[in-house]
Amino acid sequence: MTSHTDRDKQTRVFLWMTPRAISTCFLKCLSFVEGAQVWNEPYTIAYNWGVAEAMTGNPDGVSKVGGRARDVYIEGLTSKEVKASTLYGGRLMPAEKFTYPWVKSALEEEELDKKYIFIKDTAYTVLYHMEFLPEVPTRHTFIIRHPFRTLTSYRGAMMKFIDYQGDPKEFELWPELKRNYYKEDYVYNLWKKVKESGIESDPIIIDSEDLMNYPEQFLSQYLEALGIPYRDSYVKWDESEESIKNWKGCLEWLNLGKKVSLFDKAFRSSCFLPKTHVMPKREELTPDITGIIDRLMPGYEQMYEQRLKPE
């Protein structure tokens, strides 16, 4: 039987993020750290089940596009076709397991033969559900990215998710999505809450473009700040998707994300690629995301000032 002492010796690290912050690529990188086990978005699945059920229970209050997105999600997470997936047969688990209490309990368990446990998840899933964080020693870190980049990328990803065939300029993020995922700056507010509650006095913040442009420098800073030995070999890894099967997380969600091209680039990655695309200008942004960006910019700018800096 595992003792609390053995379990508590393992280093558990949360990587909190907002969608499209290069976090899945970062998680694949961290999965190759010697002695590491990684989890992909366990709280996200628990949260999204609740959102889907609420939308199903109130069909009159659901937009046409929002209903389509809900249907794609539910169909993907209840699909029986996952046994044919290339991700099947590893450590990924069925969607039906993922409730908040189950996730808390699972994250408290010891990982045999592992030294480090990295858990990547979205900030909005736990900001108001902190009681479901594991009651074992943990570290809390954050990956951020400029809102111009995350929102334009997210908008494109959602067009793929619902298989939108119209004019991209006329596409609008649906109201249910804005209400459930961008009502406030969840990353910034979780960062503040973690600090103010004393959970982590000075959480590590890494900016995704720093990581992409200078991976050796920023990956080494990140790991060393956590007390984890860094190796130069960690900035390159196997491009095969086979390693994803060793992650923990929801099999159906990762299979769906692969199918609709949310995770395909990250799954096939073998290194961080420098960012070469020019930052979009505000006047180039579409009206459906400008209001969200205005809400996110002050928090991003504060966190950016507190991020790991170039040495």
Side-chain angles (χ1 to χ4, degrees):
M1 180 179 295
T2 300
S3 71
H4 288 297
T5 302
D6 292 337
R7 180 192 65 180
D8 293 353
K9 285 181 180 178
Q10 293 180 317
T11 301
R12 287 172 175 78
V13 181
F14 279 105
L15 179 66
W16 300 114
M17 53 82 181
T18 191
R20 316 308 290 175
I22 320 297
S23 60
T24 305
C25 181
F26 192 19
L27 190 69
K28 187 176 182 186
C29 165
L30 294 172
S31 74
F32 286 90
V33 170
E34 184 177 2
Q37 174 65 55
V38 302
W39 279 82
N40 183 74
E41 303 180 12
Y43 291 106
T44 295
I45 305 305
Y47 180 89
N48 283 347
W49 273 129
V51 170
E53 289 173 357
M55 291 174 69
T56 301
N58 181 30
D60 293 338
V62 177
S63 68
K64 182 178 179 180
V65 181
R68 168 63 181 152
R70 175 204 57 202
D71 292 346
V72 170
Y73 183 79
I74 292 177
E75 181 182 344
L77 265 68
T78 56
S79 172
K80 303 302 181 184
E81 299 177 359
V82 289
K83 289 187 178 181
S85 168
T86 56
L87 302 178
Y88 184 76
R91 308 195 76 187
L92 295 168
M93 292 160 279
E96 62 192 23
K97 284 183 174 287
F98 288 79
T99 64
Y100 274 99
W102 179 86
V103 172
K104 176 181 183 294
S105 177
L107 294 180
E108 290 174 344
E109 293 178 3
E110 182 191 18
E111 294 285 357
L112 294 176
D113 303 320
K114 302 295 183 182
K115 295 181 180 179
Y116 316 111
I117 304 169
F118 294 100
I119 308 121
K120 184 260 288 186
D121 221 322
T122 44
Y124 58 76
T125 63
V126 297
L127 180 60
Y128 298 108
H129 299 283
M130 302 281 279
E131 69 272 21
F132 292 109
L133 290 176
E135 294 183 49
V136 290
T138 55
R139 300 293 307 273
H140 292 264
T141 70
F142 294 79
I143 184 167
I144 60 173
R145 191 182 187 195
H146 196 290
F148 283 20
R149 296 249 196 234
T150 58
L151 266 297
T152 51
S153 177
Y154 190 72
R155 188 173 182 275
M158 291 301 97
M159 283 191 274
K160 291 181 180 179
F161 188 76
I162 64 168
D163 192 26
Y164 178 75
Q165 299 296 320
D167 184 344
K169 294 180 180 179
E170 296 179 0
F171 176 80
E172 291 188 15
L173 293 178
W174 49 98
E176 297 85 1
L177 183 148
K178 293 182 180 180
R179 184 167 62 247
N180 288 303
Y181 305 108
Y182 288 103
K183 185 178 180 180
E184 60 183 279
D185 189 341
Y186 291 99
V187 172
Y188 173 70
N189 288 339
L190 181 60
W191 175 62
K192 287 200 306 179
K193 194 169 186 177
V194 164
K195 291 197 303 176
E196 292 168 358
S197 66
I199 295 174
E200 182 99 22
S201 61
D202 189 18
I204 299 166
I205 302 170
I206 189 167
D207 185 82
S208 64
E209 296 202 13
D210 286 338
L211 182 61
M212 287 187 287
N213 292 326
Y214 309 101
E216 295 90 349
Q217 181 177 160
F218 284 95
L219 181 60
S220 63
Q221 282 193 61
Y222 179 81
L223 291 177
E224 288 168 4
L226 292 167
I228 300 173
Y230 168 76
R231 295 180 180 178
D232 290 338
S233 60
Y234 289 161
V235 295
K236 292 188 181 294
W237 54 88
D238 185 358
E239 67 180 357
S240 168
E241 293 182 4
E242 190 67 20
S243 64
I244 310 299
K245 293 165 67 172
N246 295 319
W247 295 11
K248 286 192 170 182
C250 177
L251 171 62
E252 292 90 344
W253 172 231
L254 289 179
N255 186 62
L256 175 61
K258 177 183 174 183
K259 182 178 178 181
V260 298
S261 301
L262 291 180
F263 303 137
D264 51 332
K265 288 184 179 180
F267 284 1
R268 298 194 309 270
S269 68
S270 61
C271 63
F272 296 107
L273 297 175
K275 196 64 183 175
T276 57
H277 295 110
V278 176
M279 180 80 72
K281 298 178 181 178
R282 182 177 174 78
E283 56 268 27
E284 297 172 338
L285 303 174
T286 53
D288 58 328
I289 62 174
T290 51
I292 301 173
I293 287 173
D294 289 343
R295 190 154 53 246
L296 299 183
M297 280 304 301
Y300 169 76
E301 289 171 347
Q302 284 193 47
M303 294 185 74
Y304 187 80
E305 287 301 312
Q306 300 298 317
R307 78 194 194 284
L308 295 175
K309 303 287 201 312
E311 294 180 339

